[in-house]
Amino acid sequence: MSPAPRLVLIDGHALAYRAYFALMRRGFATRDGRPTGAVFGFVKMMLEAITNLQPACLAVTFDMAAPTFRHEAYDQYKAHRARMDDDMVSQMKPLREVVAAFDIPVYELAGWEADDLIGTISRQAAAQGYEVLILTGDRDAFQLVTDQVKVLLPTNGVSELAPFGPAQVVEKMGVTPAQIPDLKGLMGDSSDNIPGVPGVGEKGAVKLLLEFGTLENLYKNLDQVKGKLQDKLREHENLARMSLDLATINCEAPIDFQIEKCHLTMPDLPRLTKVLEDLEFTSIIRQLPRSLAGFAGGPAAGAPTLGSPQRGGPGEAGDGGPRLAAALGGDAAQPNLFGGQVAEAAPVVQVARPLELNLTIVDTAAKLAELVATLDVAPGFTYDVETTGLNPMRVDLVGVALAVGGPEAKDVRAYYVPVGHGEGTNLAWSDVRTALQPAFADPQKAKVAHNAKYDLEVLQQQGLEARGLTFDTMIADYLVYSGRESHGLKALAWELLRYEMTEIKALIGSGAKQITMAQVSVEKAAPYAAADVAVTTELRHVLGPKLAELGQEKLFHEVELPLVPVLIAMETHGVKLDVDYLKQLSDKLGERLAQAEKEIHAHAGGAFNINSPRQLGVVLFEKLQLPVIKRTKTGPSTDAEVLEELSASHDIVRKILEYRQLGKLKSTYVDLLPTMVNPNTGRVHTNYNQTMAATGRLSSQDPNLQNIPIRTDLGREIRRAFLPSRPDRVILAADYSQIELRILAHVSQDPTFLQAFKEDQDIHAVTAAEIFGVPLAEVTSEMRRRAKTTNFGIIYGQSDFGLSKKLGIPRKEAKEFIERFNARYPGIQHYMIRTLASARRNGYVETLSGRRRYIPELSAGNRQVRDFGERMAINAPIQGTAADIIKIAMVRLFPRLTGLPAAMLLQVHDELVFEVDRDAVEPLQALVTEVMEGAFTLDVPLRVDAHAGPTWMEAK
């Protein structure tokens, strides 16, 4: 028996809201400032639903602005809901335009809510034999659940969801789907302002329904309820019955639903792509051939994409090319790189273009000799490695791809040298390494790569040294537009060249069934790898002129590119960990966690799951009656910000904060770090990322060493575990002193700030003296603490509200504090005004080195997003300049370490960490201080504190 056809019903406003709040702080906007986060997230979830749920039919419902029958029955229904944000309002029209362009029917009806339309449609569709999946963010839909109707509540993505059927609803809510309205009738619903019965919470309501079944039956047997609860129920019967009516979805909405109109059919592609391009959704356009595979008349599953191997000629079964090309309005007879079909859009909008490539699989000694001869006469080449994983020190090499020629991919000759495939002919790596070493080692041959650090590190591990790196397309794109969602090769191929490339998961799969590239045949891997080097070659010719146009060449060639070998050396060397010490620290933290848990339970009057927000909320806000600071959709918030605000209210809150800190330190660092020690080297080897942070700062992962806390004693204890690699060596840590405040003095030209740093005064004490109006000698430690918080708060554009929370003082006092600061340091206020004006005019800010950060958030309609953009505009030039300075220092220091028995180990924020022989500490200390302080010329001196010790913690 074939499965029932599937209808997916999308609750339009619910998904749009979820997308809006999920992406709001990321500042999704077009380059002219139009906010697009809600539309982008909605479309991504809709396409993911189509791809993963494979519905035969799809429909979207929306609420209308007109009051509904519920508002007429109860004028306070949803009365407390805030007005929709202007940024959200502005996105509803383009969202509807996108849905219309996909040719998906929309159902909406004045006087009725989307929930009622969903209920009506789901009942009618189920009666016609359809399986219905409701995609919503609203648990009210649980009442519609049957064996044929299920609910999906998106969190991180549709693909990760399990549908809620009857059993899952019971497990989640404690009652059956049919009892959900009765549950709301008793407990109410704060999100919709449904009152329920005062004093009856969720647990009490569930208990009553388990005993009596329905609200109606409860009131028929009210005499069986004991005590004050009976009085409450009797007194508020009218509220309970009204709440039941308000919470019940009406499945008899007068709509004309026709299932045939919901069948997925191929949309008008020129119209669709025009709408998506206007919104600048390039990543979504790039995915259209795959996303539309589920539409009638769309590309078949397995339709070819650029860079994927194909057999046979055009139009073979399962090929999907001619149908897609015809749907897109292009030429169905246009071949792609490897024999399939590639869609080209109608003249209005280009969707994709073919990638032509000459490919040689180097699987014989003669072909290897031919490749070597080609490299001998070539002025340079592009390269890429295929491996069995992502950690360059723990992978096996599978193949090497090389390309010569350009500037367009069609002018490129590509080669793939297989050395580790399970299927197909391989060459011995030792022979390949010997043959390729001269070309790779020749610094006069210009080398190009995408994410060169990874390729170089892999090749180095395999015994092949490479020199002469002249271009990295990933780094170049990062400098051209740091705010781009992804600097990955596949994304840039589409966004800059309009090539639709095969994703790696098409070859190796994903999840539990994922294989490695070694298990992919040479025949399939070769065109994939060749496409990578061909596209990288063409990108180099696109991004090179762009760097020059934007004034980023100096930063690229003198800072970012020379930094690559420095990072490789640091990552390869690694840092030794005292695993035994971490085990002892873990035990110590475990004991403190247990003690903290015991004290929390004592304060609460009983045991509960401290890690459960719901149970913690019950203890804090129901049992202990602490004030509710902030609410979420599931109840009062217990996030860190809330707990910090409540910490003065009750000892239990301070203990919970301590408990959370202990747990995070233990799980994130103390227990995790030992598992990341490389068994071959006995060290941890972090991976530095140059293209992650928009400010220009380096980030690190596996492990993330940038986030090791240093402001708490316990956080500093973790640094004690970082050791030199040998007993005769020590750790030397060199840290820029107040570098961001020094940069602020330079860019603001504020006389008082400049003088303080030139005279080497304590800037925080100077600030305290200025804003408190006392002589410098009379500044107390508390005054200095407040001044320090203000100094750094100014850099991050902190408001009076933020400063008041940080200092624990009234907002009015914080406002006066900032006003006195501005009065004493007018140059800083003028810097902020100039910077914001320039950012609004140009759309970006720059560091002193010319690094750009684009800030579309400044044009947002939503005030929170706009405020966030202003803080970024003020901070980015300062933080970015600090990042540039330490990178310059690293590049200059690296070659000068050659003559010293020392190694650069880590870069963390404004600090560089080294290991050095004990008898060479002073020369290294002098060298590091000289280079770091001389890395950049400001109108105030840079200062470095450099100290040595047996561990990282003690080198402070």
Side-chain angles (χ1 to χ4, degrees):
M1 181 177 176
S2 59
R6 176 177 288 170
L7 164 67
V8 169
L9 281 175
I10 295 179
D11 185 342
H13 273 99
L15 252 65
Y17 262 110
R18 181 173 291 274
Y20 175 69
F21 286 108
L23 300 177
M24 181 173 67
R25 290 195 178 277
R26 291 178 60 183
F28 265 78
T30 58
R31 298 201 181 206
D32 60 5
R34 289 173 290 149
T36 58
V39 189
F40 182 83
F42 179 94
V43 175
K44 290 285 282 186
M45 282 190 280
M46 183 180 75
L47 292 178
E48 190 178 353
I50 292 169
T51 301
N52 292 289
L53 303 178
Q54 298 184 335
C57 303
L58 187 90
V60 177
T61 65
F62 284 113
D63 290 306
M64 296 188 74
T68 70
F69 62 88
R70 293 181 178 84
H71 294 89
E72 294 171 2
Y74 179 52
D75 61 3
Q76 292 302 303
Y77 179 64
K78 295 188 178 180
H80 71 302
R81 284 199 177 181
R83 188 178 69 87
M84 187 186 292
D85 286 354
D86 290 342
D87 275 4
M88 180 68 182
V89 172
S90 70
Q91 294 183 65
M92 292 311 299
K93 184 174 182 289
L95 190 152
R96 289 170 178 269
E97 289 174 350
V98 172
V99 173
F102 273 103
D103 199 23
I104 293 169
V106 169
Y107 289 89
E108 52 190 350
L109 187 63
W112 296 75
E113 293 188 57
D115 282 351
D116 302 311
L117 308 188
I118 289 172
T120 301
I121 293 170
S122 63
R123 290 290 182 263
Q124 292 184 23
Q128 297 177 50
Y130 280 79
E131 177 195 13
V132 181
L133 292 179
I134 301 170
L135 189 58
T136 179
D138 192 346
R139 295 183 185 182
D140 289 347
F142 281 167
Q143 63 188 275
L144 301 173
V145 168
T146 66
D147 288 337
Q148 283 180 269
V149 179
K150 297 180 176 64
V151 169
L152 292 168
L153 297 176
T155 50
N156 295 326
V158 177
S159 61
E160 303 174 7
L161 301 182
F164 282 87
Q168 289 74 31
V169 171
V170 172
E171 182 181 353
K172 181 75 173 176
M173 304 299 295
V175 296
T176 66
Q179 292 174 307
I180 295 293
D182 301 271
L183 182 69
K184 297 291 181 74
L186 289 168
M187 63 177 279
D189 185 342
S190 60
S191 65
D192 288 339
N193 208 31
I194 296 175
V197 177
V200 176
E202 183 176 0
K203 287 184 179 179
V206 169
K207 185 177 179 181
L208 287 170
L209 291 176
L210 289 177
E211 183 176 353
F212 295 99
T214 66
L215 186 142
E216 181 65 33
N217 194 48
L218 167 64
Y219 276 102
K220 285 181 181 179
N221 298 278
L222 196 56
D223 291 342
Q224 296 181 28
V225 179
K226 297 179 180 179
K228 293 182 179 180
L229 179 56
Q230 182 188 127
D231 297 337
K232 287 181 183 178
L233 291 168
R234 193 180 305 279
E235 179 184 354
H236 300 292
E237 180 176 356
N238 289 339
L239 274 183
R241 293 188 181 278
M242 181 188 71
S243 298
L244 169 64
D245 290 340
L246 292 174
T248 301
I249 293 176
N250 189 326
C251 296
E252 301 292 334
I255 56 171
D256 179 21
F257 171 69
Q258 298 177 41
I259 193 71
E260 306 80 40
K261 293 185 178 180
C262 300
H263 283 290
L264 286 175
T265 56
M266 180 56 56
D268 180 340
L269 265 297
R271 174 192 177 196
L272 174 60
T273 50
K274 189 173 188 304
V275 171
L276 294 175
E277 286 203 340
D278 178 65
L279 293 166
E280 299 176 10
F281 290 170
T282 52
S283 62
I284 290 177
I285 298 172
R286 184 163 55 92
Q287 295 166 7
L288 279 182
R290 288 191 297 276
S291 299
L292 300 183
F295 288 65
T305 53
L306 298 180
S308 63
Q310 300 292 330
R311 290 183 174 273
E316 289 189 355
D319 164 295
R323 287 199 292 158
L324 176 57
L328 292 171
D331 181 2
Q334 191 174 50
N336 80 348
L337 174 57
F338 303 111
Q341 299 298 313
V342 174
E344 184 137 322
V348 181
V349 180
Q350 184 184 42
V351 173
R353 65 190 182 101
L355 173 61
E356 300 173 20
L357 186 68
N358 299 312
L359 168 62
T360 299
I361 299 177
V362 182
D363 54 4
T364 66
K367 290 179 181 178
L368 181 60
E370 177 190 332
L371 170 59
V372 170
T374 300
L375 296 179
D376 282 345
V377 298
F381 57 89
T382 303
Y383 61 89
D384 181 50
V385 298
E386 298 299 334
T387 62
T388 55
L390 299 176
N391 186 324
M393 297 193 66
R394 297 196 187 192
V395 297
D396 294 324
L397 183 63
V398 178
V400 180
L402 304 103
V404 296
E408 295 186 6
K410 64 183 178 62
D411 304 320
V412 169
R413 283 175 292 162
Y415 300 84
Y416 183 66
V417 190
V419 297
H421 289 274
E423 180 182 340
T425 303
N426 295 286
L427 295 182
W429 170 242
S430 58
D431 295 337
V432 173
R433 181 178 56 208
T434 300
L436 297 182
Q437 183 63 78
F440 271 91
D442 185 351
Q444 301 307 312
K445 286 192 182 295
K447 316 297 191 308
V448 178
H450 186 88
N451 190 14
K453 180 166 70 69
Y454 177 83
D455 299 306
L456 290 169
E457 203 162 336
V458 168
L459 292 173
Q460 178 180 291
Q461 293 294 315
Q462 301 296 324
L464 191 150
E465 294 295 329
R467 292 186 291 171
L469 177 66
T470 59
F471 208 88
D472 186 318
T473 49
M474 184 172 77
I475 295 174
D477 185 70
Y478 171 67
L479 290 180
V480 166
Y481 188 55
S482 62
R484 197 188 301 279
E485 184 183 357
S486 170
H487 303 286
L489 182 62
K490 307 300 187 291
L492 298 188
W494 173 257
E495 294 182 20
L496 300 180
L497 304 175
R498 279 299 187 262
Y499 292 141
E500 173 71 15
M501 297 182 71
T502 299
E503 299 289 346
I504 185 66
K505 65 182 180 182
L507 293 184
I508 66 173
S510 59
K513 295 183 179 180
Q514 182 173 313
I515 60 176
T516 70
M517 188 61 86
Q519 295 166 279
V520 177
S521 68
V522 171
E523 181 186 18
K524 290 181 178 179
Y528 172 86
D532 281 358
V533 287
V535 169
T536 300
T537 302
E538 187 168 344
L539 281 173
R540 183 259 177 272
H541 292 283
V542 171
L543 290 168
K546 199 67 179 174
L547 286 172
E549 176 189 335
L550 299 178
Q552 302 293 298
E553 281 187 308
K554 184 179 177 69
L555 196 60
F556 178 76
H557 289 293
E558 296 184 14
V559 180
E560 295 291 356
L561 212 58
L563 188 63
V564 172
V566 181
L567 298 179
I568 291 174
M570 292 167 65
E571 292 178 11
T572 304
H573 186 283
V575 59
K576 186 178 178 182
L577 280 183
D578 188 337
V579 175
D580 290 337
Y581 167 76
L582 286 174
K583 176 65 171 65
Q584 295 170 12
L585 184 57
S586 177
D587 293 340
K588 176 182 173 183
L589 291 178
E591 292 172 2
R592 290 189 58 176
L593 272 168
Q595 180 60 32
E597 182 180 47
K598 184 177 178 181
E599 293 179 32
I600 291 168
H601 288 164
H603 285 301
F608 69 100
N609 182 357
I610 303 170
N611 297 313
S612 166
R614 175 172 289 189
Q615 292 187 36
L616 180 58
V618 169
V619 169
L620 296 180
F621 307 114
E622 294 182 21
K623 198 169 184 179
L624 299 178
Q625 293 292 300
L626 296 181
V628 175
I629 306 297
K630 184 171 62 176
R631 288 189 177 274
T632 68
K633 287 187 175 181
T634 58
S637 171
T638 58
D639 65 17
E641 186 179 3
V642 168
L643 294 184
E644 287 287 353
E645 194 162 340
L646 291 173
S647 60
S649 304
H650 200 289
D651 287 343
I652 192 174
V653 183
R654 291 189 287 277
K655 274 297 169 185
I656 291 167
L657 286 169
E658 179 188 347
Y659 178 86
R660 285 185 176 180
Q661 182 195 39
L662 291 169
K664 181 178 180 180
L665 287 174
K666 188 175 187 297
S667 62
T668 307
Y669 299 106
V670 178
D671 291 343
L672 184 63
L673 281 172
T675 69
M676 307 190 82
V677 174
N678 187 311
N680 298 320
T681 66
R683 304 174 193 175
V684 289
H685 303 265
T686 190
N687 174 41
Y688 286 102
N689 195 316
Q690 284 175 263
T691 61
M692 183 80 70
T695 57
R697 282 192 177 276
L698 290 171
S699 63
S700 73
Q701 62 189 79
D702 301 326
N704 180 357
L705 300 180
Q706 303 283 352
N707 283 349
I708 293 179
I710 59 172
R711 290 187 175 88
T712 64
D713 291 338
L714 274 175
R716 286 188 286 271
E717 284 291 314
I718 295 173
R719 292 189 169 204
R720 189 189 293 274
F722 288 77
L723 306 173
S725 61
R726 303 198 310 253
D728 60 339
R729 288 193 162 187
V730 295
I731 297 291
L732 186 141
D735 194 359
Y736 277 113
S737 171
Q738 300 171 339
I739 186 171
E740 293 184 357
L741 292 176
R742 293 172 188 271
I743 295 168
L744 178 61
H746 175 88
V747 297
S748 71
Q749 289 294 297
D750 183 86
T752 308
F753 247 54
L754 288 171
Q755 181 182 0
F757 281 119
K758 287 178 179 178
E759 295 179 1
D760 208 20
Q761 294 177 327
D762 179 346
I763 188 62
H764 302 312
V766 170
T767 298
E770 290 287 336
I771 60 180
F772 285 107
V774 299
L776 190 62
E778 295 180 17
V779 170
T780 66
S781 59
E782 176 59 20
M783 289 178 178
R784 186 184 183 279
R785 183 187 72 83
R786 291 191 175 192
K788 180 178 180 180
T789 301
T790 305
N791 279 335
F792 286 111
I794 292 296
I795 293 178
Y796 291 97
Q798 198 165 54
S799 65
D800 53 2
F801 176 73
L803 186 62
S804 70
K805 296 184 73 173
K806 195 79 173 177
L807 290 175
I809 60 177
R811 188 171 180 178
K812 181 180 179 182
E813 186 179 342
K815 184 179 181 181
E816 293 172 353
F817 216 69
I818 291 176
E819 288 173 350
R820 290 202 299 272
F821 182 97
N822 290 335
R824 296 299 193 276
Y825 300 124
I828 293 175
Q829 188 177 30
H830 296 161
Y831 157 74
M832 294 165 65
I833 294 170
R834 289 195 311 271
T835 301
L836 285 174
S838 174
R840 288 196 176 98
R841 181 176 62 251
N842 299 320
Y844 61 84
V845 291
E846 289 185 322
T847 68
L848 294 178
S849 301
R851 183 188 302 276
R852 288 188 180 184
R853 179 170 185 178
Y854 291 88
I855 309 181
E857 294 87 353
L858 289 173
S859 302
N862 180 275
R863 181 178 176 180
Q864 284 182 297
V865 177
R866 235 179 15 253
D867 289 348
F868 176 67
E870 291 182 357
R871 290 195 296 273
M872 279 198 298
I874 293 167
N875 171 250
I878 297 170
Q879 193 177 82
T881 297
D884 292 342
I885 290 173
I886 200 163
K887 284 180 175 179
I888 292 168
M890 293 169 73
V891 169
R892 293 181 182 176
L893 265 170
F894 184 63
R896 297 184 64 178
L897 293 177
T898 305
L900 288 171
M904 195 184 305
L905 301 181
L906 302 171
Q907 189 276 319
V908 180
H909 302 305
D910 303 322
E911 181 179 10
L912 291 178
V913 182
F914 307 81
E915 67 171 25
V916 58
D917 284 5
R918 293 178 185 275
D919 56 5
V921 168
E922 289 187 9
L924 179 65
Q925 194 171 25
L927 172 65
V928 169
T929 302
E930 173 201 337
V931 173
M932 290 180 69
E933 291 185 346
F936 207 89
T937 301
L938 299 174
D939 289 340
V940 296
L942 290 173
R943 289 287 180 261
V944 171
D945 296 321
H947 303 281
T951 71
W952 186 12
M953 189 197 81
E954 293 163 295
K956 296 296 287 182

